[in-house]
Amino acid sequence: MTGMLKDKTRFVPPPKLPPPTPVVDLSDAEMRIAQDLLFFAYRDFTNVADQVLDELGLGRAHHRALHFIGRNPGITVSSLLAVLRITKQSLARVLNQLVDEGFVGQAPGFEDRRLRLLTLTDKGAALERRLFDAQRNRISKAYSGAGPLGVQGFHAVMRGIMDQGARDYMDGTGSAEDT
Amino acid sequence: MTGMLKDKTRFVPPPKLPPPTPVVDLSDAEMRIAQDLLFFAYRDFTNVADQVLDELGLGRAHHRALHFIGRNPGITVSSLLAVLRITKQSLARVLNQLVDEGFVGQAPGFEDRRLRLLTLTDKGAALERRLFDAQRNRISKAYSGAGPLGVQGFHAVMRGIMDQGARDYMDGTGSAEDT
DNA sequence: CGAAATGGGTCAGTATTGTTGACTTAAAAT
DNA sequence: ATTTTAAGTCAACAATACTGACCCATTTCG
């Protein structure tokens, strides 16, 4: 039904476009498409977890924390802060809630007892798993459709877009602080 | 200097991982990496525009509106709402500000005068251009590094992740309402 | 040892961006 | 003439982020 209004919702660009500064070799149009791709893919990817999160009264910030703690068991608070690039206060709210509700456990560091080493509890791991499964379907389908070579390209481009610190983090080199 | 603390910030996964439900052919590890890629690439991609936006007292929501109006000159308010997937009230704040400050112009529809057709003013186009240029560097470098085939793969995977409606929108078929 | 640095926690206040719900106006459509 | 539709608006609320200013315990360093 909504498909019938096509003509009302798309428009031919009026004589707006100024001479697009031809700086580099890659066309603007190509870059614009990349913007759209990032917006929609990220939007829909994150959205698939939201329903589960809503049920539990949690938000995306909680998911992010769960994800990075799950992937880096024993991570310190400051490392987590560096990876997420948010402030201590922002993380505190989310993290305290996760600890209070039994999703995240903590233990003092062995040599340095100032450290709070974070891990997922079984309950936390189960939740993270649930959230992950929802997103996995998306990725899985997309990967199948693109083939192994496509996935390689996806990796290369995404890595190219992120900061060097993030690449280092993903490679396991470099401290999380540089993320 | 920060690189010296490596041992403090990465941890070997304790015996946590439960038997990873082997539903599909694609490994969990691969999927986890995809999560990281999306998080970091999106984070850093959006961040590059923030400095410019801060100068002008604008936020990311304004950027998104500018982007989609720029790419669809004459778009209606309801189409823009559908693309952004936010509520009328959320958009109103952002859009009114953009109109007030002369970044966005409006004109009533020709046949249907209820419609508010949105376009970028010269000032708006200039700003959008500035924001775009910052992000273009990222994409441009990433694309060069990945090569044409890599870019193809990137496209395929990103399209696979997003909702069908978003794919339709990008293809120019389907109303923006289905986004 | 004593001072400084570090990891972490907390209080208070603010901004951005999103939400729901209810209601109005003007223009189309039936 | 009535009903739909596109859009705008008011009010209240929630999530997530931020800044700035502190405090405490532990570790490190001169």
Side-chain angles (χ1 to χ4, degrees), chain B residues 83-104:
Chain B
V83 172
L84 294 172
R85 284 234 202 116
I86 57 176
T87 56
K88 213 181 355 173
Q89 296 80 346
S90 286
L91 180 59
R93 254 178 325 214
V94 162
L95 201 49
N96 287 334
Q97 201 183 338
L98 289 173
V99 171
D100 287 350
E101 298 180 15
F103 293 108
V104 168

Side-chain angles (χ1 to χ4, degrees), chain A residues 40-79:
Chain A
F40 290 121
Y42 189 79
R43 183 196 66 176
D44 296 337
F45 182 67
T46 53
N47 270 358
V48 296
D50 285 352
Q51 204 198 328
V52 180
L53 289 166
D54 278 357
E55 283 174 30
L56 298 165
L58 302 176
R60 287 185 198 171
H62 301 92
H63 187 188
R64 265 172 252 144
L66 288 173
H67 169 75
F68 284 107
I69 295 171
R71 272 176 80 61
N72 303 283
I75 193 173
T76 63
V77 169
S78 58
S79 291

Side-chain angles (χ1 to χ4, degrees), chain B residues 77-151:
Chain B
V77 169
S78 59
S79 291
L80 189 52
L81 283 175
V83 172
L84 294 172
R85 284 234 202 116
I86 57 176
T87 56
K88 213 181 355 173
Q89 296 80 346
S90 286
L91 180 59
R93 254 178 325 214
V94 162
L95 201 49
N96 287 334
Q97 201 183 338
L98 289 173
V99 171
D100 287 350
E101 298 180 15
F103 293 108
V104 168
Q106 28 188 349
F110 179 62
E111 336 156 29
D112 187 341
R113 281 174 312 180
R114 285 174 307 179
L115 303 180
R116 239 225 282 179
L117 307 186
L118 304 168
T119 51
L120 296 186
T121 62
D122 289 346
K123 184 180 170 190
L127 171 56
E128 197 283 326
R129 183 81 216 169
R130 238 184 113 193
L131 296 167
F132 172 61
D133 281 341
Q135 296 190 318
R136 192 177 47 173
N137 289 333
R138 293 262 164 173
I139 303 283
S140 187
K141 265 182 215 154
Y143 273 22
S144 303
L149 254 117
V151 172

Side-chain angles (χ1 to χ4, degrees), chain B residues 43-105:
Chain B
R43 183 196 66 177
D44 295 337
F45 182 67
T46 52
N47 271 357
V48 296
D50 284 351
Q51 204 198 328
V52 180
L53 289 165
D54 278 356
E55 284 174 31
L56 299 165
L58 302 175
R60 287 184 198 172
H62 301 91
H63 187 187
R64 265 172 251 145
L66 287 174
H67 169 76
F68 283 107
I69 295 171
R71 272 176 79 62
N72 302 283
I75 192 173
T76 64
V77 169
S78 59
S79 291
L80 189 52
L81 283 175
V83 172
L84 294 172
R85 284 234 202 116
I86 57 176
T87 56
K88 213 181 355 173
Q89 296 80 346
S90 286
L91 180 59
R93 254 178 325 214
V94 162
L95 201 49
N96 287 334
Q97 201 183 338
L98 289 173
V99 171
D100 287 350
E101 298 180 15
F103 293 108
V104 168

Side-chain angles (χ1 to χ4, degrees), chain A residues 76-78 88-89 114-116:
Chain A
T76 63
V77 169
S78 58
K88 215 183 351 175
Q89 296 81 343
R114 287 173 307 180
L115 303 180
R116 238 227 280 181

Side-chain angles (χ1 to χ4, degrees), chain A residues 38-177:
Chain A
L38 278 160
F39 175 74
F40 290 121
Y42 189 79
R43 183 196 66 176
D44 296 337
F45 182 67
T46 53
N47 270 358
V48 296
D50 285 352
Q51 204 198 328
V52 180
L53 289 166
D54 278 357
E55 283 174 30
L56 298 165
L58 302 176
R60 287 185 198 171
H62 301 92
H63 187 188
R64 265 172 252 144
L66 288 173
H67 169 75
F68 284 107
I69 295 171
R71 272 176 80 61
N72 303 283
I75 193 173
T76 63
V77 169
S78 58
S79 291
L80 190 52
L81 284 175
V83 172
L84 293 172
R85 286 238 200 111
I86 57 176
T87 56
K88 215 183 351 175
Q89 296 81 343
S90 287
L91 180 60
R93 250 171 314 151
V94 163
L95 200 49
N96 286 335
Q97 199 182 339
L98 289 173
V99 171
D100 287 350
E101 298 180 14
F103 294 108
V104 168
Q106 30 187 348
F110 179 62
E111 334 157 27
D112 187 342
R113 281 175 311 179
R114 287 173 307 180
L115 303 180
R116 238 227 280 181
L117 308 185
L118 305 168
T119 51
L120 296 185
T121 61
D122 288 347
K123 183 180 170 189
L127 171 55
E128 197 283 326
R129 183 80 217 169
R130 236 184 114 193
L131 296 166
F132 172 63
D133 281 341
Q135 296 190 317
R136 191 177 50 171
N137 289 333
R138 294 261 163 173
I139 304 283
S140 187
K141 266 181 217 155
Y143 273 23
S144 303
L149 255 117
V151 173
Q152 249 183 262
F154 168 69
H155 276 230
V157 171
M158 295 297 269
R159 286 178 55 91
I161 292 171
M162 66 182 69
D163 289 348
Q164 180 58 46
R167 278 190 288 273
D168 293 346
Y169 164 83
M170 291 199 66
D171 294 336
T173 65
S175 67
E177 273 71 16

